[in-house]
Amino acid sequence: MIDARTNHNPDKARELIEAAILSCNPPTQIELAARMGITRQHLFHMSRGSRVMAYEFQVMLEGIIAE
């Protein structure tokens, strides 16, 4: 099991979101937000740093990038 205490890095939110958007078809924030089950606004705020990226979202983004 991955330990969130050592692997969680909220500072990587913008980088992960940008990479995950490129993995979507079509490559948009709207498509990525739909795949993650969140609003586009929530995704936007995470990418800008006004909301902290939860560990679960980091795992989701890394999974989408790995697809």
Side-chain angles (χ1 to χ4, degrees), residues 4 8 36 46 52-63:
H8 183 223
M36 294 178 69
M46 279 196 306
V52 176
M53 177 178 63
Y55 178 69
E56 293 80 9
F57 288 127
Q58 181 176 332
V59 171
M60 277 192 260
L61 289 166
E62 290 172 348

Side-chain angles (χ1 to χ4, degrees), residues 17 29 39-50:
I17 289 168
Q29 281 188 351
T39 64
R40 183 197 57 78
Q41 291 85 358
H42 189 102
L43 187 63
F44 174 82
H45 289 296
M46 279 196 306
S47 72
R48 297 294 179 252
S50 55

Side-chain angles (χ1 to χ4, degrees), residues 1 5 7 12-13 15 18-19 24 32-33 35 38 43 45-48 56 59-60 64:
M1 172 166 271
R5 292 172 294 177
N7 294 307
K12 290 178 59 178
E15 173 187 337
E18 289 174 0
C24 292
L32 178 58
R35 288 182 67 180
I38 62 174
L43 187 63
H45 289 296
M46 279 196 306
S47 72
R48 297 294 179 252
E56 293 80 9
V59 171
M60 277 192 260
I64 291 168

